[in-house]
Amino acid sequence: MNGAHPPRPERSRGSGVRRAGTPATRSRRAARPSGVAWWQPPRTHRGAAQKGRGPTGRSPRSGAEQDSARHRVPDATDVLPVVLAPAGTGRRRHSRPPTAAQRRAGRLRLLRRALLGVAATVVLGPLLAFAVGYLAFSVPNPDEAVNNQVALVSYADGSPLARLVPEEGNRIKVPLEQVPLHVRHAVLAAEDRTFYSNPGFDLTGILRAAWNQLRGGEGGGSTVTQQFVKKALVGDEQTLWRKYKEVILAVKISQERSKDEILADYLNTIYLGRGAYGVQAAAQAYFRKDVQELTPTEGALLAGLIQSPSRWDPAVSPERAVERWTFVLDGMLAQGWLTPAERAGAQFPQTAARRSLPGGVPTDSRGHIVTAVTAELEELGFTEQNIAQEGLRITTTVDPRRQQLAVDAAHAALEGQPVNLRSAMVAIDPATGGVLAYYGGDNGLGLDYAQVRKLAGSTFKPFVVLAGLLEEPPVGLGEVFDGEELPGLRNAAGADCDECDLKQAMTVSNNVVFHTLARQVGPEAVAAAARAAGITAPLDDPTAGIALGNKEVSALELASAYATIAAGGVWRQPHLVASVVTTDDRVLYDAATEGERRFPERVARNVVEAMVDVAEHDDLTLPGGRPVAAKTGTVQSRFEGENNDAWMSGFTPSLASAVWMGTDMNSPIRTARGTPIQGSSLPGDVWQEFMSEALEDAPLEQFPPFRPIGEPPSPLGPNEEPEPEQVTTPPAPAPGFPPPGAPPEGPEATPAPEPPFDGDGPGLFEDPDPDRDLDDEDEPEEDCSITPCG
C-alpha cells in the first residue's frame, strides 16, 4: 500500500535451511515424470510464476504436483503465452505482407550481392591464377628454347634413332650489337612494332586470340616476347592454357631481362627456314653472307619469313615472299625506320639456291630411314616448319634388332664383292603394314636403293597367278601348260618342262608358261592384280612381258605387295611413322593398321600355294622346316649370259621381305669370282640369313588350310614322273574263253563311246581362231637379249 513494495520472501539462512513451503530437493531423474528424459529442461510459465498462480489462474501446487504440472500436455482450454508459442506464431498473427516497394528493394539487394560476387571473381580470380603461375613457371634460356624445338626420331621400342636437328641447331649466336639496326627494325616491323613500349604481352591480342579459340578458330596476337616464350616452351597448341603460360612468362621475362636482351635471345632463336636458327645462320643460308652485311631489303626478306618460313621461302613461293617483303618495308616506313626515298628505291633481293643440309640426318644406313620418315611426315601434312620448331617426338615402326640383322646380312653378302654392287632390303609386318627393317645402302645422304625402281624379273610371276585366279572362270593351279621354249622366249637353265601346271612352273620359274598365261588373261589384268596387291609404280601399256618383270618396282613396293598376299588379301599402307607426339604428350598422329581387302582370302592362299616350294628348290629354306612362300627374280642383261638385277622376296604369315642387288649404272653384276649373280645366289643369301635370324624366337607358323580354286595342282614336283604301277600277269584263260577285258567278237560288237566333253569352248591350248598366230599378232616376238626372261 501507499506505493510500498510487497514484502520479499524469506531467504534460506545457513546450511540445510530453506524457505517454508519449499519442497525437499530430489534427484533429477526422480523429479521427472515417466516419459520425460532427465536431460530435457522443464518448461516454465514465467507469467504464472510472477503472480504466484498457475497458467489457469489456480493456486500454485506443491512439490511433485507442481513439477508434474510443468511437464503435462496443455489442456485444450489452456492459453499459451505469446513467448511460449511456436516460433513465428506471434509474428504471423500481427505481420503484414511486404509491399511492392519492399519486394523490389529485396530483389535489388540480391542483385547487388550477385554482381559484387561476380566482380570479385573476375578481379580476384585472374590475380590468384597469375600469382600461382608466376611462382610455378620458370624462365627458360635461349639454348633450352632451341633444344626443345629439336624433333626426336626413335625406333619402335623407344630407343633413339636420330635428332632431326643437331643439339644446338644450325645456329650461330651473335650479340645484338652485330645485328644491324635496320635488320632489327625489319623484324619488329614484321612481328611487334610496339616492342619497346609494351609490357611483354598484348592484352587486346590475347583477348582476340581467346575469342577466336572459343569459336573454334586459331589464336594469335603474340608479341616478340610471347613468341620467344612460345618457342622456349614448345607451346604451339591452340589452347587457353598455353596462352595463360605464355602471358605469365612474358611478364616474368620482361621483369628479369631488358628489352635488348629479350630481342637478342629472339633473334638467335627464331627458325627462318633452310635449317637455319637465328639471323646469322639465316643470312648465310639465304645470302651467303654474315648478318653484319645484310642490307635493309635483305633484312626485310628474312623478317617476312618468320611466320611461315617453309611456305614463304622465295624458292618455294616467290609471290608470297614478295608480298611479305612489301608488308615489312611498308611497316618500317610507317614507323619512321625507313625514309620515303629508301622505300621507293627498294628492290627485291636475289637469294641463293636452296641447299640440302644434313640437319641431323645420320650419314650411315640410318640416314635413309630418317629421310624416308621426314618424307612420310610431309605426306601426312607435317611441314618442314612443324618438324623444325615444334619439338615433335616421332616413333617409327622399325625394330632395332631386325634393322641390325638386315644391315649385317647385306654387309656379309657384299663383303669381298665388287665395289660397284649395291643392295637394298625392306621387311614389313603383314598384320600392320609397318616397316620393321629398312636398308637402302650405307651412304645415308646418298641414293636410297630401297626406293629405287628396277626391273622386277620373275618376282612378278605371283601377280600373274593372282590375275588368273581372279578370272571368271578362274585359272587354277592345276591348269597344265606347255613349258617348252619358243622362238625368242627362253627359259632359265633347268626350268624347261614338257607339260607342267602353274605350281610346278612357279617352282622352276618357267618363263613360257607365265608368258602364255599373261596373254590368256590379258596384260592389263596382270597389272591390275599387281596394283591390287600394292605395287604403286606406273604399269602403263603393259604387254605379256609383264609376266617376266619388264616393269620397274622398288624393294619397298615389292615387300608391301607380298605382305598383302601373306595377309590373306588385305592391303595395309606400308609406313615407317607409327606415331607423332608433342613434348606435352599431345598425339598428333597415330598410324592406322586396319587395312583394306583387295582380293579374297582363298585367292591369296592359292597364290601362296603356288610359291611354297620355291625356297626348297633354290636351297633357301628356313630353319626348323618353317613354311615360307618365296620367289626369286633375275633380270638378264643385253649382254649374252649376263644379268643386270637380281631379286629374292618371300614371306611367312608374320614377316615379308624383299632383297634387291644391282649397280648404279645398270651394268652386269658378277661376284668376285666372275659368276653372274642370280636371285638365288647373293640376294637369296641375304634374304635367307635375315629371315632365319629375324624369326629365330618366333613361333612356327603355318599358312591357313589350302582349298584349291579350279583344278588342284599336282602333288608331283616339276618334271617328276609318277612311279610306275606294279603290273601283274593275269592267269591264262581257259580254252574256249576270251581273255578278261577283251572286246566281244561278232557283229554285235560296237566301239566304246567317246568321253563327254567337259567344257564350253576350245581347250586351253586351242586357239579360238585357228588362223590366228599367237606369236605374231598384236604381240612382238620376245627377245631375251632385250626383254628380261626371268
Side-chain angles (χ1 to χ4, degrees):
M1 60 190 70
N2 299 326
H5 295 286
R8 296 181 178 178
E10 182 180 356
R11 296 177 180 268
S12 62
R13 302 178 182 270
S15 175
V17 179
R18 57 180 180 273
R19 174 173 85 242
T22 303
T25 303
R26 294 173 299 171
S27 69
R28 299 174 64 186
R29 188 180 299 273
R32 283 158 172 75
S34 176
V36 179
W38 63 269
W39 62 83
Q40 292 178 339
R43 297 177 181 176
T44 60
H45 301 280
R46 289 183 301 174
Q50 289 175 354
K51 296 181 180 180
R53 295 178 178 270
T56 58
R58 290 190 291 268
S59 301
R61 302 170 187 174
S62 63
E65 185 178 358
Q66 182 177 359
D67 187 68
S68 175
R70 289 195 188 104
H71 298 281
R72 70 181 181 83
V73 178
D75 295 334
T77 58
D78 289 349
V79 178
L80 293 177
V82 173
V83 294
L84 297 180
T89 303
R91 289 191 211 97
R92 272 195 301 271
R93 182 181 299 175
H94 301 290
S95 63
R96 297 177 181 177
T99 63
Q102 291 173 331
R103 286 196 297 269
R104 283 196 301 271
R107 285 196 294 268
L108 287 175
R109 282 194 300 272
L110 291 176
L111 181 60
R112 280 196 299 269
R113 291 172 183 171
L115 291 177
L116 287 174
V118 171
T121 302
V122 170
V123 175
L124 297 180
L127 291 177
L128 179 61
F130 182 87
V132 171
Y134 195 91
L135 295 175
F137 301 143
S138 59
V139 177
N141 60 48
D143 293 330
E144 290 174 344
V146 173
N147 291 341
N148 286 338
Q149 295 177 57
V150 172
L152 301 181
V153 183
S154 64
Y155 288 106
D157 64 353
S159 57
L161 173 59
R163 299 167 68 92
L164 289 188
V165 178
E167 185 171 344
E168 285 296 320
N170 181 18
R171 181 166 69 111
I172 305 172
K173 296 172 64 173
V174 294
L176 188 64
E177 295 75 23
Q178 292 186 18
V179 181
L181 187 61
H182 54 258
V183 175
R184 288 181 255 168
H185 286 161
V187 171
L188 297 180
E191 299 300 318
D192 187 1
R193 298 179 186 180
T194 63
F195 170 72
Y196 280 99
S197 60
N198 66 50
F201 61 91
D202 180 3
L203 183 59
T204 303
I206 292 171
L207 294 176
R208 183 172 60 251
W211 175 247
N212 290 339
Q213 290 169 3
L214 290 174
R215 293 189 305 168
E218 294 187 354
S222 294
T223 64
V224 159
T225 308
Q226 289 175 260
Q227 288 185 46
F228 169 70
V229 171
K230 182 170 65 175
K231 304 289 189 301
L233 295 174
V234 196
D236 231 6
E237 184 183 6
Q238 297 294 332
T239 63
L240 296 177
W241 170 253
R242 194 269 297 169
K243 210 69 177 176
Y244 161 68
K245 294 171 64 177
E246 180 182 303
V247 171
I248 290 176
L249 283 180
V251 174
K252 197 168 184 177
I253 288 176
S254 297
Q255 292 182 346
E256 295 181 3
R257 300 179 188 175
S258 67
K259 288 290 186 179
D260 283 348
E261 289 175 331
I262 295 172
L263 183 59
D265 290 342
Y266 179 75
L267 293 176
N268 283 309
T269 302
I270 53 175
Y271 180 71
L272 290 159
R274 301 193 181 186
Y277 289 83
V279 291
Q280 171 65 11
Q284 295 178 347
Y286 286 90
F287 302 108
R288 305 287 188 263
K289 60 173 66 174
D290 291 332
V291 66
Q292 300 95 314
E293 304 171 6
L294 292 178
T295 66
T297 58
E298 291 170 342
L301 187 147
L302 294 182
L305 295 172
I306 293 175
Q307 287 190 16
S308 186
S310 61
R311 291 182 293 176
W312 297 348
D313 187 327
V316 176
S317 178
E319 299 84 3
R320 186 64 170 157
V322 171
E323 179 182 338
R324 288 291 299 170
W325 176 78
T326 303
F327 168 78
V328 174
L329 289 179
D330 290 344
M332 295 175 69
L333 177 63
Q335 294 296 120
W337 296 331
L338 201 66
T339 65
E342 290 173 329
R343 176 65 186 93
Q347 298 291 327
F348 189 78
Q350 183 68 32
T351 58
R354 289 169 60 95
R355 290 189 300 191
S356 178
L357 299 175
V361 176
T363 57
D364 57 10
S365 60
R366 296 172 300 160
H368 296 305
I369 300 177
V370 176
T371 301
V373 165
T374 55
E376 189 173 321
L377 288 172
E378 291 180 4
E379 292 178 359
L380 294 172
F382 293 92
T383 66
E384 173 199 348
Q385 186 175 358
N386 298 141
I387 298 171
Q389 284 189 280
E390 296 185 10
L392 303 180
R393 302 299 181 257
I394 303 155
T395 303
T396 68
T397 59
V398 179
D399 178 358
R401 186 181 76 88
R402 287 171 171 167
Q403 175 64 23
Q404 191 59 50
L405 290 175
V407 175
D408 292 344
H411 287 175
L414 293 175
E415 185 177 1
Q417 301 298 339
V419 295
N420 67 333
L421 279 182
R422 304 287 183 265
S423 183
M425 179 176 187
V426 177
I428 291 179
D429 181 358
T432 64
V435 176
L436 302 178
Y438 188 95
Y439 176 74
D442 291 325
N443 182 3
L445 301 179
L447 194 60
D448 181 2
Y449 295 102
Q451 299 201 43
V452 172
R453 286 174 173 153
K454 295 289 186 176
L455 294 177
S458 290
T459 57
F460 231 72
K461 287 175 180 175
F463 306 129
V464 186
V465 175
L466 176 59
L469 291 167
L470 294 173
E471 284 289 293
E472 188 58 46
V475 180
L477 301 186
E479 294 284 348
V480 177
F481 292 81
D482 184 354
E484 290 292 338
E485 290 185 352
L486 298 174
L489 185 59
R490 298 175 299 173
N491 290 317
D496 287 332
C497 59
D498 295 336
E499 286 187 350
C500 51
D501 61 29
L502 288 180
K503 182 176 180 179
Q504 294 170 334
M506 183 72 76
T507 302
V508 298
S509 196
N510 184 285
N511 291 331
V512 176
V513 170
F514 288 99
H515 190 274
T516 304
L517 178 59
R519 299 185 68 178
Q520 179 177 321
V521 301
E524 284 290 354
V526 177
R531 294 188 189 101
I535 299 296
T536 57
L539 303 174
D540 302 330
D541 302 322
T543 65
I546 193 174
L548 309 181
N550 68 355
K551 295 295 183 181
E552 293 183 336
V553 298
S554 69
L556 177 62
E557 290 175 295
L558 191 61
S560 171
Y562 275 34
T564 302
I565 301 173
V570 177
W571 171 84
R572 292 176 173 87
Q573 176 71 50
H575 60 278
L576 285 155
V577 178
S579 65
V580 180
V581 181
T582 63
T583 52
D584 54 355
D585 295 328
R586 287 181 294 120
V587 178
L588 302 182
Y589 172 76
D590 202 359
T593 59
E594 46 279 356
E596 172 188 334
R597 177 160 295 283
R598 295 291 180 84
F599 42 87
E601 182 179 5
R602 188 177 177 186
V603 170
R605 180 61 182 85
N606 274 252
V607 178
V608 170
E609 188 66 23
M611 305 168 66
V612 292
D613 292 338
V614 172
E616 182 178 1
H617 179 271
D618 292 331
D619 295 325
L620 295 172
T621 56
L622 301 183
R626 185 182 296 272
V628 62
K631 188 69 193 80
T632 58
T634 305
V635 179
Q636 296 177 347
S637 171
R638 63 184 183 274
F639 302 106
E640 183 68 25
E642 301 285 353
N643 304 321
N644 281 0
D645 299 279
W647 295 82
M648 175 62 183
S649 188
F651 54 86
T652 67
S654 62
L655 184 62
S657 61
V659 178
W660 166 86
M661 199 166 287
T663 67
D664 291 324
M665 305 302 296
N666 204 32
S667 55
I669 51 176
R670 287 179 171 269
T671 65
R673 296 186 176 185
T675 306
I677 298 175
Q678 301 177 2
S680 59
S681 59
L682 287 184
D685 293 342
V686 176
W687 180 88
Q688 185 182 41
E689 181 177 348
F690 169 79
M691 294 290 287
S692 299
E693 296 290 335
L695 296 169
E696 182 180 14
D697 299 329
L700 192 67
E701 299 171 291
Q702 302 289 338
F703 291 110
F706 171 58
R707 295 182 297 140
I709 297 175
E711 195 70 23
S714 169
L716 302 176
N719 298 318
E720 183 180 346
E721 296 292 337
E723 295 183 4
E725 297 182 2
Q726 295 292 333
V727 180
T728 57
T729 304
F737 289 92
E745 299 179 2
E748 303 90 6
T750 58
E754 292 284 341
F757 176 66
D758 186 18
D760 57 359
L764 181 61
F765 300 107
E766 298 178 33
D767 194 331
D769 182 0
D771 298 327
R772 177 173 175 264
D773 186 354
L774 287 176
D775 286 331
D776 53 63
E777 179 178 339
D778 298 330
E779 186 68 38
E781 185 177 279
E782 289 290 333
D783 185 356
C784 288
S785 66
I786 300 176
T787 303
C789 294

